[in-house]
């Protein structure tokens, strides 16, 4: 029985993709992105591009070039392996980076086919650009996850170090059931309980029944948005009286409470008590008091300020810019800050206060700048006034220069009104001086009746005995 001779690579090429009418051309172009016919020297003799490839013209330009010259330096060793494939020894696919133009590189996975007695090799390639992009994204994502994990691990290490070296007793407990989750060595020393027993205990059970309500009330106040404060409690096992403060935070969707405890004899406790008394006085002030940074953002505001700007609580004003409520936009605050930087304080600066629900009102502002911390802080005392900005009893500006100083501090309407009063007073004084203080003559000079002149004299405090 005669053996059927194997077709050559060139014959297969002509029958599959070598001509537009080749029977297998449509199937091969749909299944393979790039087909290369390469001779034994590595010269690309024929090129066929799949239908889905967007770079058809660039790939067709590979014809007549050596395969080793159009691949990256990392792929040249793989070219030799592909060309050495035998007719009965299938070789594994190789990944090559084809460089079809300057700065234009495509990754391909090629499978080599060689027929018996034929020196040419048919290379069938699938483009790997999408897979390469996905791999690059996975590598970038993995690197980002590694960096984030490293950052979290470092933050956790810093937290652990601070937690264990703190001289104050610190416990972390659930806000709902007060079950203790963590306790530092200082808490173990203060409560005189083993760390295992302390971490399995309930926070309220560490206190005497008479003082448990203090802790529960403190946490309830924090949950309702109140400020952090301190309470005096007594430990059940040792009978010690300790100061206790708490802070709420959330972690993993659960509300937790951070509890600090220390003995009342410590200096920090005395300072805290004094600060609490000062805070109570500021909260009870009838005048508005507000503290900001140099960025004008509110850091603290007493209830009087919240009432003045028609806000329900301090939480609604903290973090907001003071320009929102105080001064004419872009004018008054800039003037006040400039004076604070130059002089350190201002007194009775005339401005206006706005609210979200009512008309603006006139106010006087006194302020001071403090440099005790790393960054300066500014304190403002704001007093609402309802009377005219200038008293009619001799407090009028005496010169044009004084009027110029009011620009930016007082509205144009008020400046014009007070300027008219100033001019009227000066004219009356000049008429009295010319007439030798004779009121009848002065009234005649001014075109006023004597009764009208008397009224204006009383208004401006100029009433004196009439000359004969």
């Amino acid at each position: 029985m005669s053996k059927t001779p194997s077709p050559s690579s060139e014959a297969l090429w002509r029958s599959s993709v070598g001509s537009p009418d080749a029977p297998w051309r449509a199937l091969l172009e749909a299944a393979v992105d790039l087909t290369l016919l390469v001779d034994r020297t590595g010269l690309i003799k024929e090129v066929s591009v799949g239908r889905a490839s967007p770079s058809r013209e660039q790939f067709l330009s590979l014809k007549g070039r050596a395969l080793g010259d159009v691949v990256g330096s990392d792929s040249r060793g793989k070219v030799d392996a592909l060309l050495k494939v035998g007719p009965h020894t299938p070789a594994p696919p190789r990944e090559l980076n084809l460089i079809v133009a300057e700065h234009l590189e495509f990754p391909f996975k090629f499978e080599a086919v060689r027929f018996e007695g034929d020196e040419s090799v048919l290379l069938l390639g699938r483009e790997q650009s999408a897979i390469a992009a996905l791999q690059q994204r996975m590598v970038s994502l993995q690197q980002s996850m590694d960096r984030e994990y490293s950052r979290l691990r470092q933050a956790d290490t810093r937290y652990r170090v601070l937690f264990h070296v703190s001289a104050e007793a610190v416990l972390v407990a659930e806000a709902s059931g007060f079950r203790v989750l963590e306790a530092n060595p200082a808490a173990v020393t203060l409560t005189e309980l083993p760390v295992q027993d302390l971490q399995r205990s309930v926070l309220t059970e560490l206190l005497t029944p008479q003082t448990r309500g203090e802790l529960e009330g403190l946490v309830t106040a924090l949950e309702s948005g109140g400020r952090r404060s301190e309470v005096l409690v007594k430990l059940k096992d040792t009978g010690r009286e300790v100061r206790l403060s708490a802070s709420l935070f959330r972690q993993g969707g659960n509300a937790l409470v951070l509890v600090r405890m220390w003995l009342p004899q410590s200096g920090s406790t005395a300072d805290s008590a004094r600060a609490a008394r000062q805070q109570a006085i500021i909260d009870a002030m009838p005048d508005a008091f507000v503290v900001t940074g140099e960025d004008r953002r509110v850091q603290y505001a007493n209830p009087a300020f919240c009432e003045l700007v028609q806000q329900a609580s301090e939480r609604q004003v903290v973090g907001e810019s003071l320009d929102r409520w105080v001064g004419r936009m872009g004018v008054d605050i800039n003037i006040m800050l400039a004076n604070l930087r130059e002089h350190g304080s201002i007194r009775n600066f005339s401005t206006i206060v706005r609210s979200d629900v009512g008309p603006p009102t006139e106010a006087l502002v006194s302020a001071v700048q403090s440099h005790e911390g790393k960054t300066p802080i500014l304190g403002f005392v704001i007093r609402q006034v309802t009377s005219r900005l200038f008293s009619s009893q001799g407090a009028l500006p005496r010169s044009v220069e004084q009027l110029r100083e009011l620009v930016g501090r007082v509205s144009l309407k008020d400046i014009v009104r007070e300027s008219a009063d100033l001019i009227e007073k000066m004219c009356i004084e000049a008429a009295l001086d010319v007439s030798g203080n004779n009121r009848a003559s002065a009234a005649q000079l001014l075109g006023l009746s004597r009764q009208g002149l008397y009224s204006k004299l009383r208004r401006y405090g100029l009433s004196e005995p009439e000359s004969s």
Side-chain angles (χ1 to χ4, degrees):
M1 183 175 180
S2 62
K3 183 178 180 180
T4 303
S6 300
S8 66
S9 299
E10 293 188 10
L12 180 62
W13 178 273
R14 288 191 295 272
S15 65
S16 58
V17 295
S19 65
D21 299 329
W24 298 100
R25 178 169 183 163
L27 179 60
L28 191 59
E29 288 184 350
V32 181
D33 295 322
L34 182 64
T35 306
L36 303 177
L37 182 62
V38 185
D39 66 8
R40 62 183 181 84
T41 63
L43 184 67
I44 301 175
K45 299 169 65 177
E46 299 290 346
V47 178
S48 176
V49 184
R51 294 179 180 177
S53 177
S55 306
R56 181 179 182 85
E57 296 301 326
Q58 288 89 343
F59 290 139
L60 291 176
S61 66
L62 298 176
K63 184 177 180 179
R65 302 174 63 183
L67 182 59
D69 295 338
V70 297
V71 298
S73 58
D74 58 335
S75 301
R76 289 169 186 166
K78 301 177 184 178
V79 170
D80 296 336
L82 284 172
L83 296 180
K84 291 178 181 178
V85 64
H88 301 295
T89 57
R94 303 284 181 173
E95 293 184 356
L96 305 180
N97 292 325
L98 290 183
I99 304 175
V100 298
E102 188 177 2
H103 306 301
L104 189 58
E105 187 172 332
F106 294 91
F108 273 87
K109 179 182 285 187
F110 283 103
E111 292 192 15
V113 178
R114 183 194 293 273
F115 295 97
E116 187 174 358
D118 189 4
E119 294 184 353
S120 298
V121 177
L122 200 62
L123 300 182
L124 307 177
R126 295 300 301 265
E127 190 175 355
Q128 305 292 302
S129 298
I131 297 176
L134 181 60
Q135 290 175 343
Q136 184 61 38
R137 290 182 59 187
M138 291 180 63
V139 171
S140 301
L141 180 60
Q142 182 63 41
Q143 291 176 345
S144 176
M145 291 175 61
D146 291 342
R147 288 192 298 268
E148 185 67 17
Y149 175 74
S150 176
R151 187 186 67 81
L152 292 176
R153 185 171 56 186
Q154 292 173 2
D156 183 69
T157 300
R158 290 193 294 268
Y159 159 74
R160 293 292 174 187
V161 171
L162 291 173
F163 187 72
H164 284 84
V165 302
S166 174
E168 289 184 344
V170 180
L171 300 98
V172 178
E174 296 175 347
S176 56
F178 294 111
R179 184 171 64 90
V180 177
L181 303 178
E182 293 186 73
N184 70 342
V188 174
T189 303
L190 184 63
T191 58
E192 298 182 4
L193 290 175
V195 63
Q196 296 83 0
D197 296 342
L198 187 58
Q199 290 183 351
R200 291 195 299 264
S201 64
V202 177
L203 190 56
T204 52
E205 294 180 356
L206 301 177
L207 310 178
T208 60
Q210 295 80 9
T211 59
R212 291 174 184 172
E214 299 290 340
L215 173 62
E216 294 172 350
L218 175 60
V219 175
T220 301
L222 291 173
E223 290 176 338
S224 62
R227 285 191 298 272
R228 182 175 58 189
S229 58
E230 304 170 4
V231 294
L232 184 65
V233 297
K234 182 179 289 187
L235 298 178
K236 182 177 65 175
D237 293 340
T238 63
R240 292 178 177 175
E241 285 190 344
V242 297
R243 283 282 180 181
L244 184 148
S245 71
S247 301
L248 283 177
F249 66 99
R250 301 191 69 85
Q251 181 177 340
N254 298 320
L256 304 179
V257 57
L258 180 72
V259 177
R260 296 168 45 240
M261 294 188 297
W262 63 92
L263 296 175
Q265 290 78 9
S266 63
S268 61
T269 305
D271 294 339
S272 300
R274 183 164 54 253
R277 291 194 297 270
Q278 295 171 353
Q279 184 67 53
I281 293 174
I282 293 174
D283 288 344
M285 285 176 57
D287 291 336
F289 179 73
V290 61
V291 176
T292 73
E294 280 195 318
D295 59 354
R296 312 179 187 186
R297 298 286 177 182
V298 176
Q299 299 178 3
Y300 165 77
N302 70 346
F305 179 81
C306 298
E307 182 180 356
L308 181 62
V309 299
Q310 298 297 311
Q311 298 296 320
S313 66
E314 181 189 3
R315 287 180 296 171
Q316 293 179 312
V317 299
V318 170
E320 297 290 334
S321 177
L322 190 62
D323 303 59
R324 176 179 171 185
W325 299 289
V326 178
R328 299 161 187 86
M329 294 299 294
V331 178
D332 289 2
I333 291 294
N334 292 333
I335 295 175
M336 284 189 280
L337 292 181
N339 280 276
L340 285 174
R341 283 191 291 267
E342 183 176 357
H343 305 294
S345 64
I346 58 175
R347 185 188 301 272
N348 293 334
F349 184 91
S350 179
T351 183
I352 62 171
V353 177
R354 301 180 303 276
S355 66
D356 295 338
V357 296
T361 59
E362 296 180 355
L364 296 177
V365 177
S366 297
V368 66
Q369 183 176 19
S370 174
H371 296 275
E372 292 185 1
K374 293 183 178 180
T375 57
I377 59 173
L378 312 175
F380 297 85
V381 176
I382 305 171
R383 183 172 71 256
Q384 187 177 8
V385 294
T386 55
S387 60
R388 295 180 62 183
L389 295 176
F390 305 109
S391 170
S392 61
Q393 302 297 326
L396 291 171
R398 300 294 301 178
S399 66
V400 175
E401 288 74 14
Q402 292 179 356
L403 286 174
R404 288 169 60 89
E405 292 177 358
L406 297 177
V407 175
R409 298 177 53 191
V410 182
S411 67
L412 178 62
K413 178 180 177 181
D414 293 332
I415 293 178
V416 171
R417 181 181 61 190
E418 302 301 340
S419 299
D421 291 346
L422 171 62
I423 294 171
E424 190 175 55
K425 179 182 177 183
M426 293 173 62
C427 291
I428 293 174
E429 289 177 338
L432 291 173
D433 184 60
V434 169
S435 64
N437 206 26
N438 187 302
R439 298 183 182 180
S441 300
Q444 205 171 26
L445 289 172
L446 295 171
L448 298 174
S449 65
R450 294 188 63 179
Q451 294 300 325
L453 177 62
Y454 293 156
S455 175
K456 292 184 181 295
L457 290 175
R458 286 192 297 272
R459 176 182 178 185
Y460 298 120
L462 300 177
S463 298
E464 294 180 2
E466 183 178 2
S467 298
S468 58

